[in-house]
């Protein structure tokens, strides 16, 4: 610290504030002059565990209630401030009226005039207080926060100035020892992050009717309200709800805008409130900047655990600059079913862009029918339900393109398309990893194939699925004579 000025250490509990205050006192030089000010209970807690062999020779004690601390500037002449280090233990609740800015300005001016150092150690959770203190950093020489999170106790330095210069945001894990806190790891500069790391901005639906979980949570009713608040955040957690009434493209555009404007430290979470997201929808949200998607069915406690697991996370993906072009890549063409080879090749090449960029996965298959069957006969009982799922016949094989389909989902997709057992219809199934095969001259054919009527095709080697017919069942009364 400087030899004169004003610093503020915000602690989440009275116990941690007393421990940190005790360590500051014990670390002071022997020839120093110090004073400790606070209420009787917290003064006793600090002094009870202090090491008598450490710290300054002179430590003056001043008992003061909350009201007296708020008007401390008027009492400074009675403390003999010049040349001292004054430690002020104050409950966070004292600043609920929002007068902390004028208080800091008055104390810092008094400290500079007297050549003294004032260290304020506040006790109690108050995200709003820390946010206000960050805003008027000209009245503080340093601001740091002690909080519990990420499985332990952490020390978050928002800004700090001393004879060595000025330092920005840094975060470090602390270990609790018998004599207080010790650094458990190296200081991590938050080059991409801001000091709103603990803030959670959420749509009210994601909490299932529960109130804000702590003072770090701010809850809003609509996606636009969350987006407006998040547009001023740097590294906060922002949580959106995705239900049946929410348009996917609106949410995707909101994520893309926030990621583009606020950078990679913002943690963007989507909680699925109804089973509405398919694989291609999830990939779109991730490509637009989502840090995490919580699937439908996750309990509230599980959801909160997942949100907690991404604290400190930095988004590392590449964000495409053109949202409309990204949306086009991750949306299928309005085409499905059996098409001409030329139409097949052109459509697949157009829809393959997202696969090439690593944004989504498609499957391009070559299916060879069983002996005695032609590709068209094998397609006599097919149902294509999704846009982007197309097929064509080239020679004696069937080419099939499945839009937005992972490798583990291929068999399920084939079960949906073929009404008969596809494992008996085809003797081989090959997956193509490139589009080189589509450059063959056979794919210039513009003839649209016409599969034969299902009833006219004899498929003796294929087991048809039995038709469901009602049958009568007689029930007897158990135990009847």
């Amino acid at each position: 610290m400087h030899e004169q000025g004003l610093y503020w250490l915000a602690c989440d509990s009275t116990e941690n504030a007393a421990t940190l205050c005790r360590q500051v006192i014990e670390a002071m030089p022997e020839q120093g002059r110090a004073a400790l000010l606070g209420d009787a209970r917290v003064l006793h807690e600090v002094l009870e565990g202090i090491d008598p062999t450490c710290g300054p020779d002179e430590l003056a004690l001043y008992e003061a209630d909350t009201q007296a601390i708020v008007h401390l500037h008027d009492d400074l002449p009675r403390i003999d401030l010049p040349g001292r280090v004054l430690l002020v233990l104050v409950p966070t609740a004292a600043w609920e009226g929002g007068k902390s800015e004028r208080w800091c300005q008055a104390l810092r001016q008094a400290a500079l005039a007297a050549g003294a150092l004032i260290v304020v150690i506040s006790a109690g959770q108050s995200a709003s207080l820390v946010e206000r203190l960050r805003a008027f950093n000209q009245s503080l020489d340093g601001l740091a926060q002690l909080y519990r999170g990420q499985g332990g106790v952490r020390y978050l330095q928002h800004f700090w100035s001393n004879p060595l210069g000025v330092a920005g945001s840094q975060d470090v894990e602390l270990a609790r020892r018998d004599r207080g806190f010790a650094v458990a790891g190296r200081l991590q500069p938050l080059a991409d992050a801001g000091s709103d790391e603990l803030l959670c901005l959420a749509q009210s639906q994601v909490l299932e009717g529960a109130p804000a979980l702590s003072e770090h949570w701010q809850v809003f009713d609509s996606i636009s309200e969350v987006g407006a608040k998040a547009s001023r955040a740097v590294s906060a957690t922002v949580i959106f709800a995705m239900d049946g009434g929410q348009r996917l493209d609106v949410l995707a555009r909101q994520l893309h805008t926030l990621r583009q404007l606020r950078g990679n430290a913002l943690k963007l979470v989507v909680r699925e409130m109804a089973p509405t997201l398919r694989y291609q929808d999830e990939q779109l949200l991730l490509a637009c900047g989502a840090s995490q998607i919580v699937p439908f069915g996750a309990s509230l406690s599980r959801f909160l655990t997942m949100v907690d697991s991404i604290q400190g996370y930095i988004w590392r993906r590449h964000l495409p600059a053109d949202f409309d072009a990204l949306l086009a890549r991750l949306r299928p063409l309005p085409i499905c079913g059996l098409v001409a080879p030329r139409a097949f090749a052109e459509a697949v090449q157009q829809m393959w862009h997202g696969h090439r960029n690593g944004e989504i996965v498609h499957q391009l298959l070559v299916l060879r029918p069983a002996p005695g069957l032609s590709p068209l006969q094998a397609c006599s009982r097919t149902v294509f339900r999704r846009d982007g799922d197309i097929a064509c016949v080239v020679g004696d094989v069937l080419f099939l393109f499945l839009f937005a389909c992972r490798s583990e989902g291929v068999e399920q997709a084939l079960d949906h398309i073929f009404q008969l057992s596809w494992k008996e219809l085809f003797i081989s199934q090959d997956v193509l990893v490139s589009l080189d095969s589509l450059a063959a001259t056979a794919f210039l054919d513009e003839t649209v194939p016409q599969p034969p009527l299902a009833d006219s095709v004899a498929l003796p080697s294929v087991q048809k699925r039995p038709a469901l017919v009602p049958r009568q069942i007689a029930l007897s009364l158990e135990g009847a004579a």
Side-chain angles (χ1 to χ4, degrees):
M1 300 179 184
H2 290 300
E3 293 183 358
Q4 54 190 29
L6 177 64
Y7 294 84
W8 195 303
L9 303 175
C11 301
D12 60 357
S13 68
T14 303
E15 177 188 3
N16 287 343
T19 300
L20 196 60
C21 182
R22 188 184 310 123
Q23 287 188 260
V24 173
I25 293 173
E26 291 178 349
M28 291 178 62
E30 187 176 317
Q31 65 276 15
R33 299 174 65 238
L36 177 61
L37 187 148
D39 65 39
R41 182 179 60 85
V42 74
L43 288 181
H44 175 74
E45 189 173 348
V46 172
L47 298 174
E48 186 180 29
I50 204 165
D51 187 347
T53 64
C54 299
D57 288 336
E58 179 183 338
L59 178 62
L61 302 178
Y62 296 93
E63 183 180 335
D65 59 17
T66 301
Q67 193 64 23
I69 293 174
V70 172
H71 296 90
L72 176 60
H73 179 263
D74 299 331
D75 290 328
L76 286 179
R78 303 166 56 190
I79 296 179
D80 187 20
L81 189 60
R84 280 190 186 274
V85 175
L86 173 60
L87 298 171
V88 182
L89 277 167
V90 55
T92 299
W95 309 116
E96 290 180 353
K99 300 178 180 179
S100 52
E101 180 176 8
R102 286 179 300 189
W103 191 81
C104 288
Q105 288 175 342
L107 255 63
R108 186 169 187 272
Q109 291 173 0
L112 294 177
L117 174 64
I118 300 177
V119 181
V120 180
I121 303 178
S122 60
Q125 294 276 3
S126 182
S128 58
L129 173 61
V130 173
E131 195 169 352
R132 292 199 306 271
L133 292 174
R134 285 173 43 219
F136 47 87
N137 52 62
Q138 296 298 319
S139 301
L140 287 171
D141 293 282
L143 173 65
Q145 188 174 5
L146 195 73
Y147 69 98
R148 284 164 290 188
Q150 302 180 36
V153 180
R154 303 193 68 84
Y155 182 84
L156 176 60
Q157 175 185 289
H158 295 277
F159 57 88
W160 203 267
S161 62
N162 59 26
L164 298 177
V166 180
S169 297
Q170 298 186 89
D171 195 8
V172 67
E173 182 183 356
L174 299 181
R176 196 181 294 272
R177 307 286 189 231
D178 293 338
R179 302 299 308 164
F181 297 108
V183 175
R186 296 175 56 191
L187 278 170
Q188 298 296 322
L190 304 180
D192 297 326
S195 300
D196 54 356
E197 178 80 16
L198 307 179
L199 185 62
C200 285
L201 310 172
Q203 277 185 263
S204 56
Q205 298 98 305
V206 303
L207 294 181
E208 302 177 14
L213 302 178
S214 73
E215 62 178 6
H216 296 297
W217 282 71
Q218 297 181 19
V219 180
F220 306 89
D221 291 331
S222 68
I223 182 176
S224 58
E225 291 176 308
V226 177
K229 182 67 176 180
S231 65
R232 299 186 295 274
V234 178
S235 55
T237 302
V238 185
I239 309 173
F240 297 99
M242 183 65 201
D243 54 27
Q246 173 67 58
R247 283 180 51 187
L248 179 69
D249 59 337
V250 173
L251 177 58
R253 188 179 293 274
Q254 179 70 81
L255 294 175
H256 186 272
T257 300
L258 287 175
R259 185 63 73 195
Q260 197 171 47
L261 292 177
R262 306 310 300 164
N264 292 350
L266 207 62
K267 298 174 287 291
L268 302 178
V269 180
V270 176
R271 186 180 187 194
E272 189 182 17
M273 306 304 297
T276 58
L277 293 177
R278 297 174 295 176
Y279 163 67
Q280 65 193 66
D281 301 329
E282 293 176 348
Q283 294 306 112
L284 173 62
L285 297 178
L286 292 171
C288 287
S291 308
Q292 184 181 70
I293 298 175
V294 181
F296 173 73
S299 64
L300 180 61
S301 59
R302 175 63 178 158
F303 156 66
L304 296 175
T305 300
M306 293 179 69
V307 171
D308 187 58
S309 70
I310 63 168
Q311 298 310 304
Y313 170 82
I314 300 296
W315 195 73
R316 300 296 186 190
R317 294 180 60 153
H318 167 71
L319 182 70
D322 190 336
F323 171 79
D324 293 324
L326 171 64
L327 188 63
R329 288 198 301 272
L330 300 186
R331 281 287 170 266
L333 296 176
I335 181 176
C336 71
L338 204 57
V339 298
R342 181 164 190 160
F344 180 89
E346 291 175 352
V348 170
Q349 288 168 350
Q350 186 172 342
M351 292 187 286
W352 196 257
H353 289 300
H355 183 102
R356 186 179 294 114
N357 294 337
E359 297 161 336
I360 198 168
V361 175
H362 308 304
Q363 301 297 327
L364 180 58
L365 309 176
V366 178
L367 304 174
R368 190 173 300 278
L373 285 179
S374 70
L376 285 179
Q377 286 176 323
C379 292
S380 62
R381 293 181 181 269
T382 55
V383 179
F384 289 84
R385 299 178 177 87
R386 301 192 317 158
D387 282 346
D389 289 352
I390 55 177
C392 76
V393 174
V394 175
D396 58 352
V397 296
L398 180 72
F399 280 78
L400 177 64
F401 177 77
L402 301 175
F403 184 89
C405 180
R406 288 174 287 210
S407 58
E408 61 270 21
V410 169
E411 292 193 2
Q412 184 180 9
L414 294 177
D415 286 337
H416 290 161
I417 292 174
F418 293 94
Q419 294 180 309
L420 301 176
S421 173
W422 58 271
K423 293 182 180 178
E424 296 182 30
L425 288 172
F426 301 99
I427 60 174
S428 68
Q429 166 197 322
D430 297 321
V431 179
L432 303 182
V433 296
S434 71
L435 305 185
D436 295 343
S437 300
L438 304 187
T441 55
F443 283 95
L444 298 177
D445 185 2
E446 298 183 3
T447 305
V448 179
Q450 295 295 329
L453 296 177
D455 295 337
S456 65
V457 179
L459 302 172
S461 63
V462 178
Q463 295 295 323
K464 298 184 180 181
R465 298 175 184 173
L468 297 178
V469 295
R471 57 192 179 95
Q472 193 174 26
I473 301 175
L475 301 178
S476 61
L477 183 63
E478 186 177 355

